[in-house]
Every structure is written in C-alpha cells, then in structure tokens.
C-alpha cells in the first residue's frame, strides 16, 4: 500500500483551468472551412458542410490549432465523399431504398457466400 501511494504522488495533478480552456476552444469551433492549402483546395468541390460536432471534435484533436483542424477535417470530408461513406452509412442505417441498392446488397451476399473472409474488419 505504501508503494502505491508514492506512485500516485508522482502523477501530476491537472489544474481546473485546463478543462475550462478545452470548453472555451470547443465553443469557438467556428474556423474557416474548407482548408485552402494547395493540396486541399483542388479537391474541395461538392463537399458537404461539416457539423458543429465534427468541427468541435477536430479542433479538440488538434489541440486548438484551427488551421490543422480545418486541414484534417477537409481531408476527412474529401475521403468520405470519394468513398461514398455517407451513402453507405445511410444504407446501413435505413436499409435499401431503391432497386439499385437492393441489387448491390444481393451482390454483396453472393460475394460473402463465396469468400466469407473477404470482408473481415
């Protein structure tokens, strides 16, 4: 028991001001979107606007650096657009809405039957 208490004495205590700073940064998640750097700018056509929650999470993950948050969030939205992630998420949540969706799911079932290990996470 004595050793454990000595170990906990070495752990630095967080100041309550740090949490207030995080809350202040999350409330001010209105940074410029999309990123306008030379790598991102050509790819930003037809991007969906980020949600306020996405802006807050990316700002917190970037330690309050708005430029870095904008760059990372833009790259994420480009990847989601290029890989049709939002449509796939909607399909998984709501089920097939069109005949094309139903055919795609039928094709996936055939592939799963032939190659059960092909779609492992």
């Amino acid at each position: 028991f004595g050793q454990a208490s000595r170990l906990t004495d070495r752990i630095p205590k967080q100041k309550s001001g740090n949490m207030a700073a995080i809350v202040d940064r999350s409330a001010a998640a209105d940074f410029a979107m999309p990123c306008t750097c030379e790598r991102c700018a050509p790819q930003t056509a037809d991007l969906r606007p980020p949600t306020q929650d996405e802006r807050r999470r990316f700002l917190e993950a970037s330690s309050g650096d708005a430029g870095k948050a904008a760059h990372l969030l833009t790259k994420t939205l480009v990847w989601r657009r290029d890989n049709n992630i939002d449509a796939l998420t909607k399909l998984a949540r709501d089920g097939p809405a069109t005949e094309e969706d139903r055919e795609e799911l039928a094709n996936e079932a055939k592939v799963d039957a032939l190659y059960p290990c092909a779609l492992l996470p």
Side-chain angles (χ1 to χ4, degrees), residues 30-53:
D30 291 327
F31 49 89
M33 278 297 295
C35 178
T36 57
C37 76
E38 61 186 34
R39 289 188 301 174
C40 293
Q43 302 174 2
T44 58
D46 302 326
L47 283 184
R48 69 166 175 78
T51 64
Q52 200 61 21
D53 184 54

Side-chain angles (χ1 to χ4, degrees), residues 2-106:
Q3 185 179 3
S5 65
R6 282 181 282 168
L7 290 175
T8 57
D9 290 340
R10 289 188 227 157
I11 298 173
K13 304 285 190 262
Q14 284 191 339
K15 297 178 183 173
S16 61
N18 291 343
M19 191 55 152
I22 290 172
V23 171
D24 289 341
R25 283 196 309 255
S26 67
D30 291 327
F31 49 89
M33 278 297 295
C35 178
T36 57
C37 76
E38 61 186 34
R39 289 188 301 174
C40 293
Q43 302 174 2
T44 58
D46 302 326
L47 283 184
R48 69 166 175 78
T51 64
Q52 200 61 21
D53 184 54
E54 287 171 329
R55 287 174 172 264
R56 180 190 53 77
R57 286 186 289 127
F58 275 79
L59 188 62
E60 286 178 8
S62 301
S63 300
D65 184 346
K68 183 177 179 181
H71 182 75
L72 293 174
L73 183 52
T74 299
K75 297 303 275 184
T76 298
L77 293 174
V78 167
W79 177 83
R80 291 180 68 88
R81 180 200 60 205
D82 292 348
N83 292 291
N84 207 18
I85 301 300
D86 293 327
L88 293 174
T89 304
K90 184 179 183 314
L91 179 62
R93 183 184 61 235
D94 300 339
T98 66
E99 189 58 38
E100 184 178 315
D101 292 340
R102 289 183 192 87
E103 289 173 10
E104 180 66 28
L105 288 176

